[in-house]
Amino acid sequence: MRTTFVWREGPINAALWKDREAAVNDLGGEMLERHELDAFLTLAEELHFGRTAERLRVSTARISQTIAKLERRTGVPLFTRTSRRVELTRAGRQLYEEVRPAWDQIAAAFARAIDAGRGLTGTLRVAFVGAAGGQLLAGAAELFRRRLPDCEVQLREAQMVDLMPWLRDGQIDLALGTFPIEEPGIVTGPVLVSEARMLAVPSQHAFARRTSISLDDLARVKLLQLPDTLPVSLRQDRTPHTTPSGRPIEPGPAASTFNEMLTLIGAGHGAFPVGAQARRYYARPDVAYVRISDAPPLRWGLLWRADGATARVRAFAEAAHDLVTSS
């Protein structure tokens, strides 16, 4: 995970928006509807129809219909779809890169106008797991306070076992966690950080002497398990039952905290997939980190309750996004 952030703020560039407005409104000679832009931009980021529908709180069929309508109007495919994945085409990527900045500026300006009218105040409670997550949120909180000086941010460190219960019980308003999170009533924001996926192993393990391993090599270790308070979607992603070729992976004991996980690994009780930032923040003589060469990156983002999407929550999510994209 990236750990140093530089940010800047500036007014909306009127000339830039004028050019992009013309490009957006040129699609078929008609003004694009907001729900069409939301569907396109969200799908371009999620690359998954189900997650896009969940974020926008509509049906998957509605997303498919909206994208098909946009593609008919542009005259070119914006996405390629297979039974296993969704990807942007060249035309789709170009449209996303041209529309996203202008749309973000408009949405941010409108949200700031609303917040100013409401006199946005109060306290926002935000939780993180791990040192790198805390550093990221500290930077986002500083930017948030600069924008909204009448709002306070309370940062809380959570253990893995506590993160989702705290969020569901209302003890916190936002949480920084790893994806995928597919839970009813929980909204996932945009991906803030992606990092290489590595396997934490005992320092005496044979893998510790290698520069990388493959996902099929996981059949040769026992994988420690995440606490069952975390969503099934996340547990299946981090600790699968089989390798891509179908070889079984032996499950190990579960751990409630990350330090407990590392202690079990150092004692030889198993291994666990982690992000590359663990090498910097959790260097230990009894644990080694080896890259998984063919694994997808670990993705981090904010989570909040669907019924708790207040103006403060949206403003903090915007600050976090602006922080990482400007660094």
Short mmCIF file of all heavy atoms in Angstrom, two decimals, residues 8-9 13 19 25 30 45 51 61 79 89 96 127 148 155 157 164 184 198 247-248 257 269-270 281 286 290 299:
data_model
loop_
_atom_site.label_atom_id
_atom_site.label_comp_id
_atom_site.label_asym_id
_atom_site.label_seq_id
_atom_site.Cartn_x
_atom_site.Cartn_y
_atom_site.Cartn_z
N ARG A 8 -3.51 18.40 -3.59
CA ARG A 8 -3.68 19.80 -3.93
C ARG A 8 -5.14 20.04 -4.25
O ARG A 8 -5.85 19.12 -4.66
CB ARG A 8 -2.80 20.19 -5.12
CG ARG A 8 -3.08 19.34 -6.36
CD ARG A 8 -2.10 19.67 -7.46
NE ARG A 8 -2.31 18.83 -8.62
CZ ARG A 8 -1.78 17.63 -8.78
NH1 ARG A 8 -1.00 17.14 -7.86
NH2 ARG A 8 -2.02 16.91 -9.86
N GLU A 9 -5.57 21.28 -4.09
CA GLU A 9 -6.93 21.65 -4.39
C GLU A 9 -6.92 22.79 -5.38
O GLU A 9 -5.98 23.58 -5.45
CB GLU A 9 -7.68 22.09 -3.13
CG GLU A 9 -7.79 21.01 -2.08
CD GLU A 9 -8.52 21.52 -0.87
OE1 GLU A 9 -9.75 21.56 -0.90
OE2 GLU A 9 -7.85 21.89 0.08
N ASN A 13 -11.88 23.97 -13.63
CA ASN A 13 -11.36 24.58 -14.83
C ASN A 13 -12.50 24.71 -15.83
O ASN A 13 -12.96 23.74 -16.41
CB ASN A 13 -10.24 23.70 -15.41
CG ASN A 13 -9.56 24.34 -16.60
OD1 ASN A 13 -10.20 24.91 -17.46
ND2 ASN A 13 -8.23 24.24 -16.61
N ASP A 19 -15.09 21.80 -22.79
CA ASP A 19 -14.72 20.80 -23.79
C ASP A 19 -15.34 19.45 -23.47
O ASP A 19 -15.86 18.75 -24.34
CB ASP A 19 -13.20 20.65 -23.86
CG ASP A 19 -12.54 21.88 -24.43
OD1 ASP A 19 -13.25 22.68 -25.09
OD2 ASP A 19 -11.31 22.06 -24.22
N ASN A 25 -22.28 15.55 -24.14
CA ASN A 25 -23.59 15.82 -24.71
C ASN A 25 -23.67 15.52 -26.20
O ASN A 25 -24.73 15.62 -26.80
CB ASN A 25 -23.98 17.28 -24.47
CG ASN A 25 -24.21 17.56 -23.02
OD1 ASN A 25 -24.45 16.62 -22.27
ND2 ASN A 25 -24.14 18.81 -22.61
N GLU A 30 -27.97 13.96 -27.69
CA GLU A 30 -28.86 14.10 -26.55
C GLU A 30 -28.05 14.25 -25.27
O GLU A 30 -26.94 13.75 -25.17
CB GLU A 30 -29.77 12.87 -26.41
CG GLU A 30 -30.63 12.58 -27.63
CD GLU A 30 -31.42 11.29 -27.44
OE1 GLU A 30 -31.59 10.87 -26.28
OE2 GLU A 30 -31.84 10.72 -28.44
N GLU A 45 -15.31 1.19 -13.10
CA GLU A 45 -14.46 1.03 -11.93
C GLU A 45 -14.58 -0.36 -11.32
O GLU A 45 -13.58 -0.96 -10.91
CB GLU A 45 -14.80 2.09 -10.90
CG GLU A 45 -14.45 3.49 -11.34
CD GLU A 45 -15.15 4.59 -10.56
OE1 GLU A 45 -16.00 4.27 -9.69
OE2 GLU A 45 -14.86 5.76 -10.82
N ARG A 51 -21.69 -5.96 -8.62
CA ARG A 51 -21.22 -4.96 -7.67
C ARG A 51 -21.67 -3.55 -8.08
O ARG A 51 -21.96 -2.71 -7.22
CB ARG A 51 -19.68 -5.01 -7.57
CG ARG A 51 -19.15 -6.26 -6.87
CD ARG A 51 -17.70 -6.08 -6.46
NE ARG A 51 -16.82 -5.91 -7.60
CZ ARG A 51 -16.20 -6.91 -8.22
NH1 ARG A 51 -16.39 -8.15 -7.81
NH2 ARG A 51 -15.40 -6.69 -9.24
N ALA A 61 -30.13 -6.15 -14.16
CA ALA A 61 -30.75 -5.97 -15.48
C ALA A 61 -30.82 -4.50 -15.87
O ALA A 61 -30.61 -4.14 -17.04
CB ALA A 61 -32.15 -6.58 -15.47
N PHE A 79 -17.68 -1.91 -23.41
CA PHE A 79 -17.16 -2.99 -22.57
C PHE A 79 -17.14 -4.28 -23.38
O PHE A 79 -17.96 -4.48 -24.28
CB PHE A 79 -18.05 -3.22 -21.33
CG PHE A 79 -18.13 -2.05 -20.41
CD1 PHE A 79 -19.12 -1.08 -20.57
CD2 PHE A 79 -17.23 -1.89 -19.36
CE1 PHE A 79 -19.20 0.01 -19.72
CE2 PHE A 79 -17.31 -0.81 -18.51
CZ PHE A 79 -18.30 0.14 -18.70
N THR A 89 -13.36 -1.45 -23.34
CA THR A 89 -12.75 -1.39 -24.65
C THR A 89 -11.90 -0.11 -24.74
O THR A 89 -11.91 0.72 -23.81
CB THR A 89 -13.81 -1.36 -25.75
OG1 THR A 89 -14.59 -0.16 -25.59
CG2 THR A 89 -14.72 -2.59 -25.67
N TYR A 96 -14.23 7.03 -20.34
CA TYR A 96 -14.09 7.11 -18.88
C TYR A 96 -13.07 8.18 -18.49
O TYR A 96 -13.32 9.00 -17.60
CB TYR A 96 -13.67 5.75 -18.33
CG TYR A 96 -13.39 5.77 -16.85
CD1 TYR A 96 -14.43 5.69 -15.93
CD2 TYR A 96 -12.09 5.91 -16.36
CE1 TYR A 96 -14.19 5.72 -14.56
CE2 TYR A 96 -11.84 5.95 -15.01
CZ TYR A 96 -12.89 5.85 -14.12
OH TYR A 96 -12.64 5.90 -12.77
N ALA A 127 -12.95 3.83 11.14
CA ALA A 127 -12.11 2.75 11.67
C ALA A 127 -11.19 2.19 10.60
O ALA A 127 -11.49 2.21 9.41
CB ALA A 127 -12.99 1.63 12.23
N LEU A 148 -13.87 20.97 5.65
CA LEU A 148 -15.03 21.13 6.53
C LEU A 148 -14.54 21.33 7.96
O LEU A 148 -14.58 20.41 8.78
CB LEU A 148 -15.94 19.90 6.44
CG LEU A 148 -16.53 19.61 5.04
CD1 LEU A 148 -17.16 18.24 5.00
CD2 LEU A 148 -17.54 20.68 4.66
N LEU A 155 -10.59 8.81 14.57
CA LEU A 155 -10.01 7.61 13.98
C LEU A 155 -9.89 6.53 15.05
O LEU A 155 -9.39 6.78 16.15
CB LEU A 155 -8.63 7.91 13.39
CG LEU A 155 -8.59 8.90 12.23
CD1 LEU A 155 -7.15 9.09 11.74
CD2 LEU A 155 -9.48 8.44 11.09
N GLU A 157 -8.77 2.38 15.73
CA GLU A 157 -8.20 1.13 15.23
C GLU A 157 -9.11 -0.03 15.62
O GLU A 157 -9.51 -0.17 16.77
CB GLU A 157 -6.81 0.88 15.79
CG GLU A 157 -6.19 -0.41 15.23
CD GLU A 157 -4.80 -0.68 15.75
OE1 GLU A 157 -4.37 -0.02 16.72
OE2 GLU A 157 -4.13 -1.56 15.18
N MET A 164 -16.64 -5.42 11.01
CA MET A 164 -18.01 -5.44 10.50
C MET A 164 -19.05 -5.29 11.61
O MET A 164 -20.04 -4.56 11.42
CB MET A 164 -18.25 -6.72 9.70
CG MET A 164 -17.43 -6.80 8.42
SD MET A 164 -17.65 -5.40 7.29
CE MET A 164 -19.36 -5.63 6.81
N PRO A 184 -25.38 -7.44 2.27
CA PRO A 184 -26.59 -6.62 2.20
C PRO A 184 -26.49 -5.42 3.13
O PRO A 184 -26.04 -5.54 4.28
CB PRO A 184 -27.68 -7.59 2.67
CG PRO A 184 -27.13 -8.96 2.45
CD PRO A 184 -25.66 -8.83 2.66
N MET A 198 0.90 -11.02 -1.40
CA MET A 198 2.03 -11.83 -0.99
C MET A 198 1.56 -12.90 -0.01
O MET A 198 0.45 -12.81 0.53
CB MET A 198 3.11 -10.95 -0.35
CG MET A 198 3.46 -9.72 -1.17
SD MET A 198 4.96 -8.90 -0.61
CE MET A 198 6.21 -9.96 -1.31
N ARG A 247 -6.64 -28.05 -7.03
CA ARG A 247 -5.98 -28.77 -5.94
C ARG A 247 -6.49 -28.24 -4.60
O ARG A 247 -6.63 -27.03 -4.41
CB ARG A 247 -4.46 -28.60 -6.03
CG ARG A 247 -3.87 -29.14 -7.31
CD ARG A 247 -2.41 -28.73 -7.45
NE ARG A 247 -1.58 -29.32 -6.39
CZ ARG A 247 -0.32 -28.96 -6.17
NH1 ARG A 247 0.23 -27.99 -6.91
NH2 ARG A 247 0.37 -29.54 -5.21
N PRO A 248 -6.78 -29.12 -3.64
CA PRO A 248 -7.31 -28.66 -2.34
C PRO A 248 -6.27 -27.92 -1.52
O PRO A 248 -5.07 -28.23 -1.57
CB PRO A 248 -7.73 -29.96 -1.65
CG PRO A 248 -6.89 -31.02 -2.29
CD PRO A 248 -6.67 -30.59 -3.71
N THR A 257 -6.98 -11.33 15.27
CA THR A 257 -6.26 -10.09 15.00
C THR A 257 -5.11 -10.39 14.04
O THR A 257 -4.68 -11.54 13.90
CB THR A 257 -5.68 -9.47 16.28
OG1 THR A 257 -4.58 -10.26 16.75
CG2 THR A 257 -6.75 -9.38 17.38
N HIS A 269 2.33 -22.61 12.23
CA HIS A 269 0.99 -23.18 12.15
C HIS A 269 0.30 -22.95 10.81
O HIS A 269 -0.84 -23.40 10.61
CB HIS A 269 0.11 -22.62 13.26
CG HIS A 269 0.56 -23.00 14.62
ND1 HIS A 269 0.56 -24.32 15.08
CD2 HIS A 269 1.08 -22.27 15.65
CE1 HIS A 269 1.02 -24.36 16.32
NE2 HIS A 269 1.35 -23.14 16.69
N GLY A 270 0.96 -22.25 9.89
CA GLY A 270 0.34 -22.03 8.59
C GLY A 270 0.86 -20.78 7.91
O GLY A 270 1.89 -20.21 8.32
N TYR A 281 5.47 -2.61 7.41
CA TYR A 281 4.86 -2.33 8.70
C TYR A 281 4.90 -3.50 9.67
O TYR A 281 4.72 -3.31 10.87
CB TYR A 281 3.41 -1.90 8.49
CG TYR A 281 3.27 -0.54 7.86
CD1 TYR A 281 3.08 -0.40 6.50
CD2 TYR A 281 3.36 0.62 8.63
CE1 TYR A 281 2.96 0.86 5.92
CE2 TYR A 281 3.25 1.87 8.06
CZ TYR A 281 3.05 1.99 6.70
OH TYR A 281 2.93 3.23 6.13
N ASP A 286 10.58 -13.94 12.44
CA ASP A 286 10.02 -15.28 12.29
C ASP A 286 9.05 -15.41 11.12
O ASP A 286 8.48 -16.48 10.91
CB ASP A 286 9.32 -15.71 13.59
CG ASP A 286 8.24 -14.73 14.02
OD1 ASP A 286 8.22 -13.58 13.50
OD2 ASP A 286 7.40 -15.08 14.88
N VAL A 290 6.55 -13.58 0.61
CA VAL A 290 6.94 -13.96 -0.75
C VAL A 290 5.79 -13.61 -1.70
O VAL A 290 4.62 -13.82 -1.40
CB VAL A 290 7.28 -15.47 -0.83
CG1 VAL A 290 6.13 -16.32 -0.34
CG2 VAL A 290 7.67 -15.87 -2.24
N ARG A 299 -7.16 -5.08 -2.98
CA ARG A 299 -7.77 -3.76 -3.16
C ARG A 299 -8.35 -3.26 -1.85
O ARG A 299 -9.00 -4.00 -1.12
CB ARG A 299 -8.88 -3.82 -4.23
CG ARG A 299 -8.40 -4.36 -5.58
CD ARG A 299 -9.54 -4.44 -6.57
NE ARG A 299 -10.63 -5.24 -6.03
CZ ARG A 299 -11.92 -5.06 -6.34
NH1 ARG A 299 -12.28 -4.09 -7.14
NH2 ARG A 299 -12.85 -5.83 -5.82
#
